[in-house]
Amino acid sequence: MPRRRWLDWLAGLIAPLTLALGWEVAVAQGWGNGRLLPPPGRILSTLWGLWRSGDLTTHVLATLARVGLGFLFGVLAGTVLGALTGYLTWARRLLDPTLQALRSIPSIAWVPLFILWFGIFETSKVILIAVGVFFPIYLALSGAILDVDRKLVEVGRIFRLSGTALVWRILLPATLPAYVLALRAGLGLGWMFVVAAEFMGASEGLGFLLTDGQMTGQPATILASIVAFAVLGKLTDGLLAALSRPLLRWQDSFKPEG
């Protein structure tokens, strides 16, 4: 199985490497203009320069810290409210319409309000990221609980399972696959929202590096930031997927055999 994963990983590199090599050759042969869309070699050189100066490490750590905190708070809020609205009818009737309306608000629309409320410092950035993470978690968990076969719940009640036992032995195993996918979707949105968050007066972070590249007219810096976002997003998603595998194996143990 590990060998299969390695082969899948290597196969996934074919398309981006082919495109990168093709553009490198096109610029080298004069078939394309590398000024506004620098070739991969120039982008890698920019990343190496940022790494050697220590700037890349500073920006990456600042962005990772914001995404990590925003992800944590978004997951906590999404899990609590998703469980409430999925499990309790009165909570769903009371809270779900408002939350569904808030979900339709574009992320950028929150920026001026959060700046007004929390200033341009870290609090507003983390809250904006948490908002992006919150909604996939909330929707998936609430919907997964609603989709649990009511017959399973009734069987649990017939066997006089306590509320905790009912959640642990029936609801949690039934909703876990959807919840894990929601975590990965929430993390992806967290990486998207951090760019908007770092436009709010940040002096560090990959979003700041993007803005700096735009203001100074350096396309290589902009694309280096985008590549860093892509790599970090993929690595953190892979880490989350790896951490979730033991949970999914535990969930499989509740499935009837045969």
Side-chain angles (χ1 to χ4, degrees):
M1 193 66 179
R3 184 181 178 185
R4 171 73 179 275
R5 280 201 292 268
W6 272 106
L7 290 174
D8 290 344
W9 185 80
L10 291 173
L13 291 175
I14 292 175
L17 288 178
T18 301
L19 290 172
L21 181 61
W23 184 241
E24 188 76 41
V25 171
V27 173
Q29 295 295 322
W31 301 334
N33 185 351
R35 188 176 66 87
L36 294 180
L37 184 59
R42 200 180 306 166
I43 297 168
L44 291 176
S45 176
T46 301
L47 282 171
W48 178 245
L50 290 168
W51 171 265
R52 291 188 63 184
S53 67
D55 290 342
L56 184 62
T57 302
T58 300
H59 293 311
V60 165
L61 290 178
T63 297
L64 277 173
R66 290 171 185 138
V67 172
L69 284 173
F71 182 70
L72 175 63
F73 293 130
V75 167
L76 289 175
T79 300
V80 170
L81 290 176
L84 280 175
T85 55
Y87 191 70
L88 301 173
T89 302
W90 66 265
R92 183 165 61 255
R93 291 173 178 171
L94 181 66
L95 299 174
D96 189 66
T98 300
L99 293 173
Q100 293 291 352
L102 292 174
R103 184 170 65 91
S104 304
I105 298 174
S107 62
I108 201 70
W110 292 107
V111 171
L113 189 61
F114 285 173
I115 291 176
L116 185 64
W117 285 353
F118 307 111
I120 61 173
F121 302 106
E122 292 303 302
T123 302
S124 57
K125 296 174 178 57
V126 170
I127 292 175
L128 181 62
I129 296 165
V131 168
V133 173
F134 167 83
F135 287 106
I137 309 295
Y138 166 77
L139 288 171
L141 185 56
S142 179
I145 292 174
L146 285 172
D147 289 340
V148 173
D149 191 343
R150 296 295 110 180
K151 292 179 182 177
L152 292 175
V153 177
E154 291 302 323
V155 168
R157 288 172 177 162
I158 289 171
F159 282 95
R160 297 183 180 179
L161 294 179
S162 65
T164 303
L166 190 68
V167 170
W168 183 256
R169 295 189 60 84
I170 295 178
L171 293 180
L172 184 58
T175 58
L176 194 57
Y179 184 67
V180 168
L181 285 176
L183 288 175
R184 295 177 67 182
L187 180 61
L189 279 177
W191 280 108
M192 294 181 190
F193 272 57
V194 74
V195 177
E198 290 180 339
F199 285 167
M200 296 192 292
S203 59
E204 294 177 343
L206 293 174
F208 165 78
L209 199 60
L210 274 170
T211 307
D212 186 60
Q214 177 195 11
M215 298 298 292
T216 56
Q218 300 180 63
T221 300
I222 297 173
L223 288 169
S225 305
I226 292 172
V227 169
F229 270 121
V231 171
L232 288 172
K234 179 60 179 173
L235 288 176
T236 52
D237 178 72
L239 177 62
L240 184 58
L243 292 174
S244 68
R245 287 189 192 108
L247 291 174
L248 294 175
R249 284 196 294 267
W250 170 80
Q251 181 260 351
D252 287 339
S253 68
F254 286 84
K255 293 181 179 178
E257 298 183 359

